[in-house]
Amino acid sequence: MKTYLYIIALFLIPFAASAQRPVPPNSPEVHSDNRVTFRYFSPTAKRVVLDGEFMASPQAMTKDAAGLWSITVGPVTPDIYPYSFLVDSIQVADPNNTYLFANERFKRSIVDIPGKVPMVHALKDVPHGKIDYRYYKSATLDTLRRALIYTPPGYDASGNTSYPVLYLIHGGSDTEETWTKVGRANLIADNLIAEGKAVPMIIVMPYGNVRPRPMPSFTQDVVNDLIGFVEANYRVLKDSKNRAVAGFSVGGGQTLNIGLTHTDKFAYVCSYAPYTATEEFKENFGNWSPDKDQINSRLKLFTISVGTQDFLYESVKQNIAMYQEKGINLKTYIVPGYHTWMNCRLFLATSLQEIFK
Amino acid sequence: MKTYLYIIALFLIPFAASAQRPVPPNSPEVHSDNRVTFRYFSPTAKRVVLDGEFMASPQAMTKDAAGLWSITVGPVTPDIYPYSFLVDSIQVADPNNTYLFANERFKRSIVDIPGKVPMVHALKDVPHGKIDYRYYKSATLDTLRRALIYTPPGYDASGNTSYPVLYLIHGGSDTEETWTKVGRANLIADNLIAEGKAVPMIIVMPYGNVRPRPMPSFTQDVVNDLIGFVEANYRVLKDSKNRAVAGFSVGGGQTLNIGLTHTDKFAYVCSYAPYTATEEFKENFGNWSPDKDQINSRLKLFTISVGTQDFLYESVKQNIAMYQEKGINLKTYIVPGYHTWMNCRLFLATSLQEIFK
């Protein structure tokens, strides 16, 4: 039976001696000089294009006689980059790369160019925290919700130490795994804690997508359900000075909605390239007349970060101006770059060194 | 810039009003009568075939004028099934399905047909354990190794309760996530514990792939490194009567190697469709002259499970006969079906109700 034979063939691949089909192409192949070769096998495709966030624009790949498409690019600046192949205009992840971008819409793979000096997101031989995969009951959304919860090295549920908590929200169509699998939030925290640059903290990464009308109910879910779950299950400090919220893109907008409307609960609000063209944002900030003195006294840190080439840059600048007009103290990080997780990791690494201090 | 526009387009998909390209096809679409419709968009592909483990053999899909390929199959018996598309003979996962098979070689998606009655692997409103994503130092392999560690509902590191431990190993080319993401081991345990059919236990799911020569060093890693890490970091019972090892396929072979050569450490050995054509297996069992009385007195349970259509069926039968010839007591589960995770989940659900009792 074909399925049967097929499963055998796949199963036997790891055992070269008995492999039933050619060894898959090596892709991506990161060379010692930081050039990278990408390969995609398709004898029938008419055009295969590499679309990577390390390139200014997509580049066509070339096909050999056997139907193996390839391209070598770079040297590429060390980092972790998403990329896809466009096979006759259809976006596909690299079938030979296990490292996939955790997302509900687009299909991208990740290439890790480590470079000579380990980056802040590198897996190093330092004490490592752990990531708990949890379900919690959301009365607000009347369902079980997923959340990942990072606890720092040395976290001891039986100990006397309680920790501050960062609530960290992914982008639109991302998942609760994107902040760890693409953002490497756990490794960034491990490394900064090991260097004494960040205080040991718990990082809660919920699943932020709620459709059709995301944000209002998600704000209620975080404030009314998630915080309570975390406080009931982890040794956490429960005052606003020990609670932060941060997020990227749609999650950056959620961060502003959650944090600035609950300054009694969050003393740290860090928004990365926020998407704010939402009903909830208009409701919260359309005719906003804040008590700036109260907000400024409650917020120990309010940051907005964005890349100058981010497609949301103009909108973020207007958003920043709005807070400034209202007299809300905020710190801005305007850096080069697009709407990317490369920038996201830098924004997070910066925030982790500023919060809870 | 194309990348820039491209990222915008992808980013905006969740916001239909401003979507820059057609809404992706709905695939897989599970109908109320358990028929399932699969869709794949490619105007240029010559032939697209659905290859699913719910079918006797792959079936060609049909293309409409717009280039959308589709097929409706079933009704399908409720379960979770891997499937792929063969696009001009190239295996691809379903680009519109977020639920992927965790594997380092093949690219398959998962379709979940829940049916009317929740199955043993279903997410139910029962108390849920959690899964810890951990790194541990392996002196044996001189590296950091990944492991997932399930702790049961009510697990309290600060409490006085200690738990038995099941070491559960994935198949060849699977990852440390396959037993949870495909096998649903955590939900199966949650449900059986809630029904009082399984005792609360910790389940340790290591990354089992060690190349080029997998098994000897992995056995040493488990016995010399992983067990110590678990016992240092979790409230576990440390005698052999509270330690079990189980695994599927290559992991089933590793289970036999680990368990039967360390009956002082494991009183429960459960092997699912074991792959035993390995150097280590020959070394351990080629000229094996076991002290059967000692082994039979130490092992509280030794099971081998396999489907009659499994491509390893004949090899597993010979393996069973070998143990029987040597006078080793074992229990066998010979069931219908192929070398699949549908059977794996059943084997695990059976073991969880038999061990630590």
Side-chain angles (χ1 to χ4, degrees):
Chain A
M1 242 181 223
K2 194 155 183 311
T3 304
Y4 166 89
L5 293 169
Y6 192 62
I7 293 170
I8 296 180
L10 291 169
F11 178 79
L12 292 175
I13 287 170
F15 312 101
S18 47
Q20 301 296 293
R21 63 176 203 181
V23 174
N26 176 10
S27 183
E29 182 183 2
V30 179
H31 305 283
S32 56
D33 63 356
N34 296 341
R35 287 176 314 120
V36 188
T37 300
F38 297 86
R39 299 179 174 92
Y40 181 82
F41 182 68
S42 174
T44 57
K46 292 182 176 57
R47 186 161 189 265
V48 180
V49 170
L50 172 65
D51 178 20
E53 294 186 17
F54 43 80
M55 305 190 299
S57 58
Q59 289 184 37
M61 297 167 70
T62 56
K63 178 177 158 184
D64 72 10
L68 183 65
W69 299 77
S70 66
I71 186 173
T72 298
V73 300
V76 177
T77 306
D79 207 331
I80 304 168
Y81 299 92
Y83 70 97
S84 306
F85 297 131
L86 302 175
V87 179
D88 296 330
S89 307
I90 307 297
Q91 182 192 45
V92 299
D94 185 340
N96 297 297
N97 183 351
T98 307
Y99 190 176
L100 293 164
F101 195 121
N103 186 279
E104 295 178 341
R105 296 284 183 171
F106 54 77
K107 297 295 158 182
R108 311 212 86 183
S109 299
I110 306 279
V111 57
D112 185 348
I113 297 141
K116 301 273 177 290
V117 181
M119 297 184 70
V120 68
H121 57 252
L123 176 61
K124 301 181 189 175
D125 187 7
V126 299
H128 291 285
K130 62 186 174 72
I131 306 161
D132 296 350
Y133 278 51
R134 303 293 303 249
Y135 293 100
Y136 67 96
K137 257 192 189 180
S138 170
T140 302
L141 301 170
D142 189 28
T143 182
L144 285 170
R145 298 280 290 181
R146 303 187 301 264
L148 272 53
I149 301 180
Y150 166 86
T151 56
Y155 174 83
D156 179 2
S158 64
N160 298 319
T161 310
S162 292
Y163 296 84
V165 185
L166 165 62
Y167 290 82
L168 184 60
I169 309 165
H170 60 73
S173 85
D174 291 333
T175 77
E176 72 280 9
E177 291 186 305
T178 308
W179 261 116
T180 54
K181 296 211 167 185
V182 183
R184 299 268 189 106
N186 54 314
L187 296 181
I188 293 172
D190 288 342
N191 291 332
L192 292 174
I193 291 167
E195 295 171 37
K197 294 179 178 173
V199 302
M201 68 183 79
I202 288 170
I203 304 176
V204 177
M205 295 158 279
Y207 176 69
N209 298 324
V210 183
R211 302 192 173 94
R213 189 168 175 280
M215 295 182 189
S217 50
F218 182 66
T219 295
Q220 293 154 28
D221 174 70
V222 169
V223 171
N224 300 334
D225 299 301
L226 181 58
I227 289 176
F229 173 81
V230 169
E231 295 185 345
N233 289 280
Y234 293 87
R235 296 193 64 86
V236 298
L237 297 163
K238 302 180 181 182
D239 60 304
S240 69
K241 299 279 183 291
N242 287 292
R243 201 180 287 124
V245 60
F248 171 55
S249 194
V250 169
Q254 290 169 319
T255 294
L256 296 170
N257 283 298
I258 293 166
L260 296 183
T261 62
H262 298 87
T263 52
D264 58 319
K265 294 188 168 57
F266 297 92
Y268 302 88
V269 177
C270 303
S271 181
Y272 313 143
Y275 179 88
T276 56
T278 60
E279 196 177 327
E280 183 186 24
F281 193 84
K282 290 190 194 76
E283 286 170 6
N284 286 334
F285 301 105
N287 303 304
W288 194 42
S289 53
D291 176 342
K292 65 179 172 55
D293 296 331
Q294 184 190 58
I295 290 180
N296 290 334
S297 65
R298 285 177 168 182
L299 288 180
K300 291 191 69 182
L301 181 72
F302 172 28
T303 67
I304 296 182
S305 308
V306 68
T308 55
Q309 294 150 296
D310 193 309
F311 75 100
L312 293 175
Y313 179 51
E314 288 306 321
S315 137
V316 171
K317 276 199 303 185
Q318 292 165 21
N319 189 244
I320 290 168
M322 183 270 282
Y323 293 118
Q324 289 168 334
E325 283 162 23
K326 308 279 188 187
I328 306 299
N329 301 336
L330 81 162
K331 189 170 173 182
T332 62
Y333 290 100
I334 312 297
V335 303
Y338 295 92
H339 197 76
T340 70
W341 279 87
M342 290 80 80
N343 268 357
C344 241
R345 282 184 293 269
L346 296 180
F347 296 150
L348 177 66
T350 302
S351 296
L352 292 185
Q353 298 177 66
E354 293 187 315
I355 60 177
F356 308 134
K357 289 182 174 177
Chain B
M1 230 179 233
K2 192 154 184 309
T3 302
Y4 165 88
L5 293 169
Y6 194 59
I7 293 170
I8 295 179
L10 290 168
F11 178 79
L12 291 175
I13 286 171
F15 313 101
S18 47
Q20 301 296 293
R21 64 177 201 180
V23 173
N26 175 11
S27 182
E29 181 183 3
V30 178
H31 305 283
S32 56
D33 63 356
N34 296 340
R35 287 176 313 119
V36 188
T37 300
F38 298 86
R39 299 180 175 92
Y40 181 82
F41 181 69
S42 174
T44 59
K46 292 182 176 55
R47 186 160 190 265
V48 180
V49 170
L50 172 66
D51 178 20
E53 295 187 16
F54 43 80
M55 305 188 300
S57 59
Q59 289 184 36
M61 299 167 70
T62 56
K63 178 179 160 184
D64 71 11
L68 182 65
W69 300 76
S70 65
I71 186 172
T72 298
V73 300
V76 176
T77 306
D79 207 332
I80 305 168
Y81 298 92
Y83 71 96
S84 306
F85 297 132
L86 301 175
V87 179
D88 296 330
S89 308
I90 308 297
Q91 182 193 44
V92 299
D94 184 340
N96 297 297
N97 183 352
T98 307
Y99 188 176
L100 294 164
F101 194 121
N103 187 279
E104 295 177 341
R105 296 285 182 169
F106 54 77
K107 297 295 159 183
R108 311 211 86 183
S109 299
I110 305 279
V111 58
D112 186 346
I113 297 141
K116 302 272 178 291
V117 182
M119 295 185 72
V120 69
H121 57 252
L123 176 61
K124 300 180 191 177
D125 187 7
V126 298
H128 291 286
K130 62 187 176 68
I131 305 161
D132 296 350
Y133 277 52
R134 303 293 302 251
Y135 293 99
Y136 67 97
K137 258 192 189 179
S138 170
T140 302
L141 302 169
D142 188 29
T143 182
L144 285 170
R145 298 280 291 181
R146 304 187 300 266
L148 272 54
I149 301 180
Y150 166 86
T151 56
Y155 174 83
D156 178 3
S158 64
N160 298 318
T161 310
S162 291
Y163 297 84
V165 184
L166 166 62
Y167 292 81
L168 184 60
I169 309 166
H170 60 72
S173 85
D174 290 333
T175 78
E176 73 280 7
E177 292 186 304
T178 308
W179 262 115
T180 55
K181 297 212 167 183
V182 183
R184 301 268 188 104
N186 55 313
L187 296 181
I188 292 172
D190 287 343
N191 292 331
L192 291 174
I193 290 167
E195 294 171 38
K197 293 179 178 173
V199 302
M201 68 182 79
I202 286 169
I203 304 176
V204 177
M205 293 159 279
Y207 176 68
N209 298 324
V210 184
R211 301 192 174 95
R213 189 167 174 282
M215 294 181 189
S217 50
F218 183 66
T219 296
Q220 293 153 28
D221 174 70
V222 170
V223 172
N224 301 334
D225 299 301
L226 181 58
I227 289 176
F229 172 81
V230 170
E231 294 185 345
N233 289 279
Y234 292 87
R235 297 192 64 85
V236 299
L237 298 163
K238 302 179 180 181
D239 61 304
S240 70
K241 299 279 183 290
N242 287 292
R243 201 181 288 123
V245 59
F248 170 55
S249 195
V250 169
Q254 290 170 319
T255 294
L256 297 170
N257 283 298
I258 294 166
L260 296 183
T261 61
H262 297 87
T263 51
D264 57 318
K265 295 189 169 57
F266 296 92
Y268 302 88
V269 177
C270 303
S271 181
Y272 313 142
Y275 179 87
T276 56
T278 61
E279 199 176 325
E280 184 185 25
F281 193 85
K282 289 188 194 75
E283 286 170 6
N284 287 332
F285 301 105
N287 303 304
W288 195 42
S289 52
D291 178 341
K292 64 178 171 56
D293 296 333
Q294 186 191 57
I295 291 180
N296 290 334
S297 65
R298 287 176 167 182
L299 288 180
K300 292 191 70 181
L301 182 73
F302 173 27
T303 67
I304 296 182
S305 308
V306 67
T308 55
Q309 294 150 294
D310 193 309
F311 75 100
L312 293 174
Y313 179 52
E314 288 306 321
S315 138
V316 171
K317 276 199 305 186
Q318 292 164 21
N319 191 243
I320 290 168
M322 183 269 283
Y323 293 119
Q324 288 168 335
E325 283 162 20
K326 307 280 188 188
I328 307 299
N329 300 338
L330 79 162
K331 188 170 173 182
T332 62
Y333 291 98
I334 312 297
V335 303
Y338 295 92
H339 197 76
T340 70
W341 279 87
M342 290 80 81
N343 268 357
C344 242
R345 284 185 291 270
L346 296 180
F347 296 149
L348 176 66
T350 302
S351 297
L352 292 186
Q353 297 177 67
E354 293 188 316
I355 60 178
F356 308 133
K357 290 182 174 178

Coordinates of all heavy atoms in Angstrom, one line a residue, chain A residues 213-243:
Chain A
R213 N -13.2 40.0 17.5 CA -13.0 41.4 18.0 C -11.9 41.3 19.1 O -12.3 41.1 20.3 CB -14.3 42.0 18.5 CG -14.2 43.5 18.9 CD -15.6 44.0 19.1 NE -15.6 45.4 19.6 CZ -15.4 45.7 20.9 NH1 -15.1 44.8 21.8 NH2 -15.4 47.0 21.2
P214 N -10.6 41.3 18.7 CA -9.6 40.9 19.6 C -9.6 41.6 21.0 O -9.8 41.0 22.0 CB -8.3 41.2 18.9 CG -8.7 41.2 17.4 CD -10.1 41.7 17.4
M215 N -9.3 42.9 20.9 CA -8.6 43.4 22.1 C -9.4 43.6 23.4 O -8.9 43.3 24.4 CB -7.9 44.7 21.7 CG -6.8 44.3 20.7 SD -5.9 45.7 20.1 CE -4.9 45.0 18.8
P216 N -10.6 44.1 23.3 CA -11.3 44.4 24.6 C -11.4 43.1 25.4 O -11.0 43.1 26.6 CB -12.7 44.9 24.1 CG -12.5 45.4 22.8 CD -11.5 44.5 22.1
S217 N -11.8 42.0 24.8 CA -12.0 40.8 25.6 C -10.7 40.3 26.1 O -10.5 39.7 27.1 CB -12.8 39.8 24.9 OG -12.2 39.6 23.6
F218 N -9.6 40.5 25.3 CA -8.3 40.0 25.7 C -7.8 40.8 26.9 O -7.2 40.2 27.8 CB -7.3 40.0 24.5 CG -6.0 39.4 24.9 CD1 -5.9 38.1 25.3 CD2 -4.9 40.2 25.0 CE1 -4.6 37.6 25.7 CE2 -3.6 39.7 25.4 CZ -3.5 38.4 25.7
T219 N -8.0 42.1 26.8 CA -7.6 42.9 28.0 C -8.3 42.4 29.3 O -7.7 42.2 30.3 CB -8.1 44.4 27.8 OG1 -7.3 44.9 26.7 CG2 -7.8 45.2 29.0
Q220 N -9.6 42.1 29.2 CA -10.3 41.6 30.3 C -9.8 40.2 30.7 O -9.7 39.9 31.9 CB -11.8 41.5 30.0 CG -12.5 42.9 29.8 CD -13.7 42.8 28.9 OE1 -14.4 41.8 28.8 NE2 -14.0 43.9 28.2
D221 N -9.5 39.4 29.7 CA -8.9 38.1 30.0 C -7.6 38.2 30.8 O -7.4 37.5 31.8 CB -8.6 37.3 28.7 CG -8.0 36.0 28.9 OD1 -8.6 35.1 29.5 OD2 -6.7 35.9 28.6
V222 N -6.7 39.1 30.4 CA -5.5 39.2 31.1 C -5.7 39.8 32.5 O -5.2 39.2 33.5 CB -4.5 40.2 30.4 CG1 -3.3 40.6 31.2 CG2 -4.1 39.6 29.0
V223 N -6.5 40.8 32.6 CA -6.7 41.5 33.9 C -7.6 40.6 34.9 O -7.2 40.5 36.1 CB -7.3 42.9 33.7 CG1 -7.7 43.5 35.1 CG2 -6.4 43.8 33.0
N224 N -8.6 40.0 34.4 CA -9.5 39.3 35.2 C -9.2 37.8 35.4 O -9.7 37.2 36.4 CB -11.0 39.5 34.7 CG -11.4 40.9 34.6 OD1 -10.9 41.7 35.4 ND2 -12.3 41.2 33.7
D225 N -8.5 37.2 34.4 CA -8.4 35.7 34.5 C -6.9 35.3 34.6 O -6.5 34.6 35.5 CB -9.0 35.1 33.2 CG -10.5 35.3 33.1 OD1 -11.2 35.0 34.1 OD2 -10.9 35.9 32.1
L226 N -6.1 35.9 33.7 CA -4.7 35.4 33.6 C -3.9 35.8 34.8 O -3.2 34.9 35.4 CB -4.0 35.9 32.3 CG -2.6 35.5 32.1 CD1 -2.4 34.0 32.0 CD2 -2.0 36.1 30.8
I227 N -4.0 37.0 35.2 CA -3.2 37.5 36.4 C -3.5 36.6 37.6 O -2.6 36.2 38.4 CB -3.4 39.0 36.7 CG1 -2.8 39.8 35.6 CG2 -2.9 39.4 38.1 CD1 -3.0 41.3 35.7
G228 N -4.8 36.4 37.8 CA -5.2 35.5 38.9 C -4.7 34.1 38.9 O -4.2 33.6 39.9
F229 N -4.7 33.6 37.7 CA -4.1 32.2 37.5 C -2.6 32.2 37.8 O -2.2 31.3 38.6 CB -4.3 31.8 36.0 CG -3.6 30.5 35.7 CD1 -4.2 29.3 36.1 CD2 -2.4 30.5 35.1 CE1 -3.6 28.1 35.8 CE2 -1.8 29.3 34.8 CZ -2.3 28.1 35.1
V230 N -1.9 33.2 37.4 CA -0.5 33.3 37.6 C -0.2 33.4 39.1 O 0.6 32.7 39.7 CB 0.2 34.4 36.8 CG1 1.6 34.6 37.3 CG2 0.1 34.1 35.3
E231 N -1.0 34.3 39.7 CA -0.7 34.5 41.2 C -1.1 33.4 42.0 O -0.6 33.1 43.1 CB -1.5 35.8 41.6 CG -0.9 37.0 40.9 CD -1.4 38.4 41.3 OE1 -2.5 38.4 42.0 OE2 -0.8 39.4 41.0
A232 N -2.1 32.6 41.5 CA -2.5 31.4 42.3 C -1.5 30.2 42.1 O -1.5 29.3 42.9 CB -3.9 30.9 41.9
N233 N -0.7 30.2 41.1 CA 0.1 29.1 40.7 C 1.6 29.3 40.8 O 2.4 28.4 40.6 CB -0.2 28.6 39.3 CG -1.6 27.9 39.3 OD1 -1.7 26.7 39.7 ND2 -2.6 28.6 38.9
Y234 N 2.1 30.6 41.0 CA 3.5 30.9 41.0 C 3.8 31.8 42.2 O 2.9 32.6 42.6 CB 3.9 31.5 39.7 CG 3.8 30.5 38.5 CD1 2.7 30.3 37.8 CD2 4.9 29.7 38.2 CE1 2.6 29.4 36.8 CE2 4.9 28.8 37.2 CZ 3.7 28.6 36.5 OH 3.6 27.7 35.5
R235 N 5.0 31.8 42.6 CA 5.5 32.7 43.7 C 5.8 34.1 43.0 O 6.9 34.3 42.5 CB 6.7 32.2 44.3 CG 6.5 30.8 45.1 CD 7.6 30.5 46.0 NE 7.7 31.5 47.0 CZ 7.0 31.4 48.2 NH1 6.2 30.4 48.4 NH2 7.2 32.3 49.1
V236 N 4.8 34.9 43.0 CA 4.9 36.2 42.3 C 4.6 37.4 43.3 O 3.8 37.2 44.2 CB 4.0 36.3 41.1 CG1 4.4 35.3 40.1 CG2 2.6 36.2 41.5
L237 N 5.3 38.5 43.0 CA 5.0 39.7 43.8 C 3.7 40.4 43.1 O 3.6 40.4 41.9 CB 6.2 40.7 43.7 CG 7.4 40.1 44.4 CD1 8.7 40.8 44.0 CD2 7.3 40.1 45.9
K238 N 2.8 40.9 43.9 CA 1.5 41.2 43.4 C 1.1 42.7 43.3 O 0.0 43.0 43.0 CB 0.4 40.5 44.2 CG 0.6 38.9 44.2 CD -0.4 38.2 45.1 CE -0.1 36.7 45.1 NZ -1.1 35.9 45.8
D239 N 2.2 43.5 43.5 CA 1.9 44.9 43.4 C 2.3 45.5 42.0 O 3.0 44.8 41.3 CB 2.6 45.7 44.5 CG 4.1 45.5 44.4 OD1 4.6 44.4 44.4 OD2 4.8 46.5 44.2
S240 N 1.8 46.6 41.7 CA 2.0 47.1 40.3 C 3.5 47.3 40.0 O 3.9 47.2 38.8 CB 1.2 48.4 40.1 OG 1.8 49.5 40.9
K241 N 4.3 47.6 41.0 CA 5.7 47.9 40.8 C 6.4 46.6 40.4 O 7.6 46.7 40.0 CB 6.3 48.5 42.1 CG 5.7 49.8 42.5 CD 6.3 51.0 41.7 CE 5.7 52.3 42.1 NZ 4.3 52.5 41.8
N242 N 5.8 45.5 40.6 CA 6.4 44.2 40.2 C 5.6 43.5 39.1 O 5.6 42.3 38.9 CB 6.4 43.3 41.4 CG 7.5 43.8 42.4 OD1 8.7 43.7 42.1 ND2 7.1 44.3 43.5
R243 N 4.9 44.4 38.3 CA 4.1 43.8 37.2 C 4.4 44.7 35.9 O 4.2 45.9 36.0 CB 2.6 43.8 37.5 CG 1.9 42.8 36.7 CD 0.4 42.8 37.0 NE 0.1 42.1 38.3 CZ -0.5 42.7 39.3 NH1 -1.0 43.9 39.2 NH2 -0.7 42.0 40.4

